[in-house]
């Protein structure tokens, strides 16, 4: 497998000009849901919702991956429509509370001379600060619909931390795994990001 890695990187560069080929490391998580069985050997049209250069490069890479898997592709008259949806999320964080001080009263309802108690100092808690709960992530999703009825046949998506690479690099590493999972149901499958 290690001997094939440089050759596969060169192959990816020839089939998907525009998608960055770099040393992507880390792991991504794949999820997919098959809603209905796929019709046998029906041609698929691949399209993007946002025709940015990056998404058009993903579309070309996905078409090449589907061809390698023997999936027939067609233009605007194909009975199946595969839509590419990309995005990233900033992540979530906890911000420090507005104040670690609370007003303190004596037993008659009067403020103590200083008027406030610093809870962090009294309880010897660490001073709160901003902490990241969820790292920023890149998401590449595919949706397969029947053109005539609009019925959803399959949907799959892969998610990886943006700290593992640039969006174009992550997309290039995710495309082969997503293409191979079309028509299958996959639950939280972790895979290595390699090109």
């Amino acid at each position: 497998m290690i001997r094939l890695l440089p050759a596969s990187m060169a192959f990816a560069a020839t089939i998907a000009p525009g998608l960055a080929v770099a040393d992507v490391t880390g792991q991504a998580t794949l999820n997919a849901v098959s809603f209905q069985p796929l019709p046998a050997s029906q041609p698929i049209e691949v399209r993007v919702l946002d025709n940015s250069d990056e998404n058009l490069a993903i579309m070309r890479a996905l078409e090449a991956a589907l061809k390698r898997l023997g999936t027939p592709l067609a233009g605007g008259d194909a009975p199946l429509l595969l839509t590419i949806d990309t995005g990233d999320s900033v992540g979530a964080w906890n911000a420090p509370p507005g104040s670690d001080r609370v007003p303190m009263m004596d037993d008659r309802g009067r403020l103590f001379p200083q008027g406030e108690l610093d809870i962090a100092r009294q309880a010897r808690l660490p001073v709160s600060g901003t902490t990241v709960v969820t790292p920023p992530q890149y998401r590449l999703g595919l949706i397969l619909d029947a053109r005539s009825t609009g019925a959803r046949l399959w949907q799959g998506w892969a998610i990886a931390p943006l700290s593992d690479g640039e969006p174009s690099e992550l997309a290039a590493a995710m495309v082969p795994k997503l293409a191979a999972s079309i028509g299958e149901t996959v639950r939280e499958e972790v895979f290595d990001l390699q090109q």
Side-chain angles (χ1 to χ4, degrees), residues 5 7 30-31 48 53 64-65 74 80 94 97 100 103 120-121 149 154 157 166 178 180 185 190 195:
L5 186 59
L30 173 69
N31 285 288
V48 292
D53 291 341
L80 300 178
N94 289 332
D100 290 335
R121 286 189 185 167
T149 62
W154 177 86
W157 61 96
E166 293 295 318
L178 272 167
T185 296
V190 176
Q195 295 185 4

Side-chain angles (χ1 to χ4, degrees), residues 1-151:
M1 178 84 176
I2 294 175
R3 283 184 250 158
L4 297 177
L5 186 59
S8 66
M9 290 176 72
F11 182 70
T14 61
I15 63 165
L19 272 185
V21 177
D23 294 328
V24 179
T25 59
Q27 295 182 320
T29 303
L30 173 69
N31 285 288
V33 180
S34 177
F35 299 105
Q36 297 179 32
L38 296 185
S41 31
Q42 294 270 333
I44 295 176
E45 176 191 356
V46 180
R47 71 173 183 172
V48 292
L49 296 176
D50 167 16
N51 64 351
S52 66
D53 291 341
E54 183 178 304
N55 284 349
L56 292 174
I58 294 169
M59 183 176 79
R60 288 189 295 275
L62 181 59
E63 287 173 339
L66 291 171
K67 284 180 185 175
R68 284 192 310 275
L69 293 170
T71 304
L73 300 177
D77 58 345
L80 300 178
L81 187 60
L82 184 63
T83 306
I84 299 169
D85 182 26
T86 61
D88 49 34
S89 61
V90 176
W93 60 89
N94 289 332
S99 172
D100 290 335
R101 299 182 180 273
V102 293
M104 292 299 296
M105 309 281 187
D106 67 7
D107 59 349
R108 295 185 186 174
R110 298 175 298 189
L111 283 175
F112 279 116
Q114 289 82 15
E116 293 181 335
L117 174 67
D118 186 343
I119 292 183
R121 286 189 185 167
Q122 296 299 322
R124 298 181 189 261
L125 297 173
V127 178
S128 60
T130 301
T131 56
V132 175
V133 177
T134 306
Q137 297 178 327
Y138 177 77
R139 180 183 185 279
L140 175 59
L142 302 178
I143 301 167
L144 184 65
D145 296 322
R147 184 186 297 276
S148 60
T149 62

Side-chain angles (χ1 to χ4, degrees), residues 22-26 136-138 160-171 193:
D23 294 328
V24 179
T25 59
Q137 297 178 327
Y138 177 77
L162 274 170
S163 60
D164 290 344
E166 293 295 318
S168 58
E169 298 166 349
L170 295 172
L193 290 170

